[in-house]
Amino acid sequence: MDTTQLLKGVLDLAVLAVLRDEDGYGYDILRRLRSAGLDEVGDASVYGTLRRLFQAGALTTYVVPSEAGPHRKYYALNAAGRAQLAQSGKVWAGFAQTMDRLIGEEAA
């Protein structure tokens, strides 16, 4: 199965989930997604998702100076982002249950 197509549909949810407990900058978010098991996620996809979520009002940003290079732009969930995460999480859980049921029926 081509997981890249599945990933396109859930990348917003994955990024919001990664930011739930800790703010992060672009590369840090990418690293956290990959270490969580989303190895095939692309750099451009994550940066595009961050820009889109910010423009949609789900994220806030702030800049932190860096001694070893350029300043880093951090992303954080705001109230709208937390609400989107909660709603999208419910939708995903229902979808996953349906798929588990369908796959379980096929296996039997």
Side-chain angles (χ1 to χ4, degrees), residues 1 6 9-10 13 87-103:
M1 172 177 268
L6 289 172
V10 297
L13 177 58
Q87 179 59 34
S88 295
K90 288 177 187 174
V91 170
W92 174 257
F95 179 76
Q97 285 179 343
T98 300
M99 291 305 298
D100 286 344
R101 234 182 356 264
L102 287 171
I103 292 168

Side-chain angles (χ1 to χ4, degrees), residues 12-103:
D12 285 14
L13 177 58
V15 167
L16 292 171
V18 163
L19 290 171
R20 175 183 44 228
D21 298 323
E22 183 180 359
D23 301 351
Y25 56 94
Y27 181 75
D28 174 56
I29 294 165
L30 178 66
R31 180 191 54 75
R32 287 158 53 189
L33 288 167
R34 287 180 176 163
S35 69
L38 300 177
D39 300 326
E40 296 181 26
V41 67
D43 299 22
S45 296
V46 171
Y47 286 102
T49 297
L50 288 168
R51 277 191 301 276
R52 194 168 20 76
L53 288 170
F54 173 75
Q55 290 171 347
L59 302 176
T60 57
T61 63
Y62 58 95
V63 176
V64 175
S66 174
E67 294 178 11
H71 299 328
R72 291 184 172 151
K73 183 180 194 177
Y74 277 74
Y75 293 86
L77 282 183
N78 57 27
R82 290 190 186 284
Q84 183 176 339
L85 174 59
Q87 179 59 34
S88 295
K90 288 177 187 174
V91 170
W92 174 257
F95 179 76
Q97 285 179 343
T98 300
M99 291 305 298
D100 286 344
R101 234 182 356 264
L102 287 171
I103 292 168

